[in-house]
Amino acid sequence: MAPPFILSIIILLFLLAGIRIIFEYKRALKFRFGKYVKTLQPGFRWIIPLVETIQTVDIRVITINIISQEVMTEDNVPCSIDGVVFFKINNPEKAVLEVEEYRFAITQLSQAALRDVCGKVELDTILSKREEMGKNIKAIVELETKEWGIEIIDVKIKDIQLPENMKRMMANQAEAERSRRARIILALAEEQAAGKLLEAGKLIDQSPSAIKLRLYQTLSNIAAEKNSTILFPFPEEVLPRNPIKKNKNKK
């Protein structure tokens, strides 16, 4: 085999070894003998084999779970809280050169911030203001990650695990609250019904015909069952016609 052919094969392999394809959602940091040179944009790129190396960085939104943390709230209630962090790399150079493992660093910062924020408030605040708790955690983590070229998009609290005895106490509290509301509603209904009955009674008293109609309606409702007999010890005509007028005449 001729030396020129062998040399051509070696040169071809050398050229092929330096070919790199960078996707649109990534950026590549090029290092020459370990020293940072520049950031390669997406597309077809070539580096010098054995001399230059690249390290790719994903610039899409990245999600990291905050593993469950044991937290003692301000009112001395132990609970387990976990969450999720959404972040994006705005400056690939700083994300690689300023911090060793940015994913691990963000995870540790988020865990510490979650324990710090949730440990300073009461349990009711954590349960009712998750969005506010997430914003407070985000603000703490952002103070550090800005120097790394990383933007914290959002922090969400996913789940809050409480002790069984605390769950039972909260269930009893909720049941007592519902019972209190039910009693208040029933009392208001009785008050309104009593007022309407008083108005109806005054209206009926003003007309003897209305009293008779009411009497007949009551007898009709009783007779609808067909299981009772109604007896009148005296005729209906002997009932007072208009007691209001009589009382007025006496006066």
Side-chain angles (χ1 to χ4, degrees):
M1 186 175 293
F5 179 77
I6 296 176
L7 181 61
S8 300
I9 296 297
I10 293 175
I11 293 175
L12 179 61
L13 293 176
F14 181 80
L15 294 175
L16 292 176
I19 295 176
R20 298 290 186 273
I21 303 297
I22 303 174
F23 293 99
E24 183 67 31
Y25 54 85
K26 290 187 177 181
R27 299 293 182 269
L29 277 68
K30 184 166 72 172
F31 297 89
R32 183 176 297 155
F33 295 113
K35 184 178 180 180
Y36 170 73
V37 179
K38 66 176 180 178
T39 300
L40 302 178
Q41 298 300 315
F44 181 87
R45 297 290 181 265
W46 187 81
I47 62 174
I48 304 174
L50 304 178
V51 175
E52 297 177 342
T53 58
I54 64 171
Q55 183 173 346
T56 59
V57 178
D58 197 326
I59 61 172
R60 294 175 293 182
V61 176
I62 302 173
T63 304
I64 293 180
N65 287 324
I66 305 175
I67 61 175
S68 182
Q69 301 294 306
E70 295 291 336
V71 179
M72 182 67 72
T73 62
E74 189 178 28
D75 50 350
N76 298 324
V77 178
C79 57
S80 299
I81 306 175
D82 58 8
V84 61
V85 180
F86 302 90
F87 69 93
K88 184 178 181 181
I89 297 176
N90 292 331
N91 193 324
E93 295 86 358
K94 289 185 177 181
V96 174
L97 301 177
E98 296 293 335
V99 60
E100 181 180 1
E101 289 287 344
Y102 59 85
R103 286 176 177 266
F104 179 74
I106 292 175
T107 300
Q108 296 301 311
L109 281 173
S110 302
Q111 293 176 5
L114 186 147
R115 291 193 296 267
D116 184 44
V117 171
C118 295
K120 294 180 179 178
V121 297
E122 296 182 354
L123 178 62
D124 292 341
T125 304
I126 299 176
L127 295 175
S128 60
K129 298 182 179 180
R130 294 191 182 191
E131 192 71 23
E132 183 179 344
M133 296 295 102
K135 290 180 180 179
N136 294 338
I137 297 172
K138 174 187 172 184
I140 295 175
V141 178
E142 274 183 335
L143 293 177
E144 300 292 338
T145 57
K146 281 183 178 180
E147 301 296 328
W148 306 338
I150 298 174
E151 176 189 359
I152 304 299
I153 297 176
D154 199 3
V155 178
K156 297 290 186 182
I157 294 178
K158 292 196 302 183
D159 191 21
I160 302 174
Q161 296 292 335
L162 301 175
E164 292 298 327
N165 59 342
M166 181 59 62
K167 291 181 180 179
R168 289 193 298 267
M169 293 173 63
M170 294 177 67
N172 294 335
Q173 180 183 0
E175 183 178 358
E177 178 64 20
R178 291 194 182 100
S179 177
R180 182 185 69 85
R181 293 180 182 177
R183 292 181 180 180
I184 292 175
I185 294 173
L186 181 60
L188 292 175
E190 292 290 343
E191 180 182 359
Q192 294 176 1
K196 293 299 180 181
L197 288 174
L198 179 60
E199 294 177 4
K202 291 180 179 179
L203 184 62
I204 291 174
D205 287 342
Q206 296 176 3
S207 174
S209 299
I211 297 177
K212 289 184 179 181
L213 290 175
R214 185 58 182 166
L215 176 61
Y216 295 152
Q217 184 180 3
T218 304
L219 294 176
S220 176
N221 293 336
I222 296 173
E225 299 295 333
K226 298 181 181 180
N227 58 359
S228 60
T229 302
I230 303 172
L231 298 177
F232 284 91
F234 48 82
E236 186 267 337
E237 286 77 6
V238 302
L239 293 175
R241 297 294 182 182
N242 197 340
I244 296 179
K245 290 184 178 180
K246 291 181 178 181
N247 293 334
K248 289 182 178 179
N249 294 333
K250 288 180 180 180
K251 291 181 181 180

